[in-house]
Amino acid sequence: MNHYPIFTHLHQRKVLLVGGGLVAERKASALIQAGAQLQVVAQQTTAQFAEWFAAQQAEYIGTEFSPDLLNGVFLVVAATSDPALNQRIFQAAEAAATFCNCVDQPACCSFIVPALIDRSPIQVAVSSGGHAPVLARLIRQQIEVLLPFSLGRVAAVAGRWRKQVKTALRSLSERRRFWEQLFQHSRFGQLIASGDEAAAEALLQQQLIQHQPLPQGEVVLVGAGPGDAGLLTLHALQAMQAADVVLYDALVSAEVLALVRRDALKISVGKRCGQHQVQQQQTNELLVKWAQQGKRVVRLKGGDPFVFGRGGEECAFLHAANIPFRIIPGISAGLGATAYAGIPLTHRDYAQRVLFVTGHQQLGSQTHGWQTLACAQQTLVIYMGTLQAAEISRQLIAHGRADSTPVAIISHGTQVSQHVLTGELHQLAALAQQAATPALMVIGEVVRLRQQLAWFQPQDNSVTGAAAA
């Protein structure tokens, strides 16, 4: 171990910063946030420094560095563009037994500044010992996405209760088990994340004073997006990494599933036409069963849970069973797949509105349904409609949509296996017969823009209607 890792308490401690450029500005920002009594030496400074000086968040003490400026200084940062000056500052700091960091000069550093994940009071530092700071920042980014933004508030609540817990639980092992159970209980963290710290503290008090077991687990409905794992939200990834049990749909890609915590129990509850299906009632009961056992349950759904995903039904069932739940939205296929295919859903020259419908049931069953769907100057996005493509085409044309209206069928949208068929409305049935499933149908003049805007073609496998016919 080349460096001894420490976190220094800089509040109201004198810190000297030499330099006034953009690099120095970044250093100054972090030092001010840490509460340092910052003194600045520089021949010129950025506009941001002027604001700090005016607000008395930093003090400008001159243009030239001299060793006597180190008197009473806790540490010094040299951030000038002059390596010789930085070295002279380091030598003076060494003589004064003062910590010194010279930016981008590891040999002139008695301390180094790590890449930091800040969830104050929780802080995680990543250091390469000055050898590869860019690599340290990349590692920091990977850790960053796994730590909830509310983690600091969780630590703050725990800090307020440390004394009471120590009084109530005399042995170290008892206290350790108490805190481990509390921190691992997803409901405690979620209450704090939602801003209800009072309820979180009531939960803590219930466990501590009344010695009651923590209540049942919770269910998180997570939108897995259309397939590309890069489209997951941070909240989705964090929930997947924390899950004990994951119930996932057939539409969830292998790439997304690979990001689930490795030791989590994974249960397929997918529904695909012509294949074995898990009935919705069975899925609902599984969610309740595992949550009642105190498990952190993730219901991983392709796209968005509330866009043709039956998420509303599952939430209603959980509510009736008194199971806590929350929803993490995802990018629906209608948004993700069309964007990857280069098809804007709206465009002021072609479409002023967009309709999302499902072809799984009779589209025109409601009065005047087909007239609404056949309107010009709109984009029609149809989920699960390939088996009814012939009827959809016939009805739209019969109710006024031009048979030459551009159409696209997008299979495996946003994934490396993405495949796009394009043609005209009268060709929709023929295109649907060739399309791999799952597939999304897009009908409207905006499809013409694909020739200009298509950017995601991993296998250059887009096929035109003429070629498909």
Side-chain angles (χ1 to χ4, degrees):
M1 186 168 69
N2 294 329
H3 291 83
Y4 182 74
I6 60 173
F7 287 90
T8 59
H9 185 262
L10 295 183
H11 188 68
Q12 293 302 309
R13 293 183 186 272
K14 190 180 294 186
V15 174
L16 179 65
L17 172 65
V18 183
L22 292 176
V23 174
E25 181 182 305
R26 290 197 296 270
K27 299 298 181 181
S29 177
L31 291 167
I32 290 171
Q33 290 180 43
Q37 185 180 333
L38 186 63
Q39 297 181 331
V40 179
V41 172
Q43 294 186 355
Q44 293 181 325
T45 60
T46 66
Q48 179 60 65
F49 275 103
E51 294 183 17
W52 285 326
F53 297 150
Q56 297 185 335
Q57 293 178 291
E59 179 186 5
Y60 182 71
I61 60 172
T63 61
E64 301 293 337
F65 169 79
S66 62
D68 62 288
L69 294 177
L70 295 175
N71 293 334
V73 167
F74 184 73
L75 60 84
V76 58
V77 176
T80 79
S81 58
D82 185 346
L85 173 58
N86 291 341
Q87 185 175 21
R88 186 162 63 88
I89 295 169
F90 172 69
Q91 292 171 345
E94 287 285 276
T98 301
F99 282 119
C100 179
N101 175 270
C102 294
V103 178
D104 289 334
Q105 291 181 242
C108 295
C109 293
S110 54
F111 78 94
I112 56 177
V113 180
L116 185 68
I117 300 101
D118 189 3
R119 301 287 189 272
S120 294
I122 298 294
Q123 293 180 306
V124 181
V126 181
S127 172
S128 67
H131 292 284
V134 173
L135 178 60
R137 287 198 294 270
L138 291 174
I139 295 171
R140 179 200 66 189
Q141 291 171 12
Q142 294 177 19
I143 299 174
E144 184 96 45
V145 301
L146 301 177
L147 301 181
F149 292 108
S150 58
L151 193 61
R153 300 204 303 276
V154 170
V157 170
R160 293 199 293 268
W161 280 81
R162 280 193 67 190
K163 185 176 181 180
Q164 295 181 56
V165 170
K166 189 173 183 179
T167 300
L169 304 175
R170 294 295 183 178
S171 75
L172 180 63
S173 61
E174 281 185 305
R175 294 196 296 272
R176 183 175 64 248
R177 285 195 300 271
F178 170 82
W179 288 118
E180 286 177 350
Q181 185 182 19
L182 190 73
F183 292 145
Q184 291 172 0
H185 190 267
S186 59
R187 192 62 181 161
F188 177 72
Q190 178 53 32
L191 286 170
I192 294 176
S194 64
D196 196 351
E197 292 189 10
E201 295 194 50
L203 180 63
L204 187 157
Q205 186 176 38
Q206 176 187 9
Q207 174 67 5
L208 178 63
I209 299 176
Q210 300 178 10
H211 300 290
Q212 295 182 3
L214 286 170
Q216 59 202 14
E218 70 164 0
V219 176
V220 187
L221 273 70
V222 174
D228 183 353
L231 296 179
L232 287 169
T233 65
L234 286 178
H235 285 319
L237 182 59
Q238 289 164 359
M240 291 161 58
Q241 288 286 312
D244 300 311
V245 181
V246 176
L247 280 66
Y248 63 93
D249 282 345
L251 295 178
V252 177
S253 70
E255 184 182 358
V256 169
L257 278 176
L259 297 176
V260 173
R261 199 178 84 189
R262 290 187 177 182
D263 58 343
L265 176 62
K266 304 177 188 67
I267 303 172
S268 173
V269 293
K271 304 175 183 67
R272 292 292 293 273
C273 183
Q275 301 180 21
H276 172 72
Q277 298 188 21
V278 176
Q279 297 300 316
Q280 185 63 49
Q281 181 66 21
Q282 184 181 356
T283 299
N284 295 344
E285 292 171 354
L286 284 171
L287 293 173
V288 171
K289 168 192 169 183
W290 290 110
Q292 287 178 336
Q293 294 181 23
K295 303 296 185 183
R296 293 168 290 191
V297 184
V298 162
R299 176 67 173 101
L300 197 57
K301 306 175 78 68
D304 179 90
F306 281 1
V307 179
F308 305 125
R310 305 189 74 170
E313 298 173 43
E314 293 175 358
C315 288
F317 192 89
L318 294 168
H319 175 74
N322 199 31
I323 300 295
F325 65 87
R326 55 192 173 102
I327 297 94
I328 298 176
I331 295 178
S332 178
L335 301 177
T338 52
Y340 274 48
I343 301 173
L345 294 177
T346 60
H347 189 285
R348 64 180 181 177
D349 294 332
Y350 299 113
Q352 284 72 54
R353 63 176 178 172
V354 57
L355 295 182
F356 296 95
V357 297
T358 173
H360 186 62
Q361 298 177 344
Q362 186 62 35
L363 283 171
S365 58
Q366 298 181 353
T367 304
H368 305 304
W370 286 112
Q371 286 91 331
T372 299
L373 297 177
C375 289
Q377 297 294 303
Q378 75 177 10
T379 304
L380 187 61
V381 179
I382 305 175
Y383 294 69
M384 300 170 285
T386 54
L387 293 180
Q388 297 191 53
E391 176 69 4
I392 292 170
S393 175
R394 186 181 69 81
Q395 290 285 3
L396 290 176
I397 293 172
H399 287 82
R401 200 76 195 244
D403 62 1
S404 60
T405 301
V407 300
I409 300 182
I410 308 168
S411 300
H412 302 291
T414 76
Q415 301 179 56
V416 293
S417 57
Q418 176 177 291
H419 189 266
V420 183
L421 296 166
T422 57
E424 297 180 344
L425 183 56
H426 66 91
Q427 299 173 307
L428 189 64
L431 294 172
Q433 289 179 354
Q434 301 175 62
T437 56
L440 187 81
M441 299 195 301
V442 186
I443 301 171
E445 296 296 327
V446 291
V447 175
R448 298 188 192 280
L449 296 171
R450 170 172 163 74
Q451 296 179 359
Q452 306 171 38
L453 305 182
W455 62 273
F456 181 74
Q457 297 178 335
Q459 298 174 357
D460 195 26
N461 54 9
S462 179
V463 182
T464 66

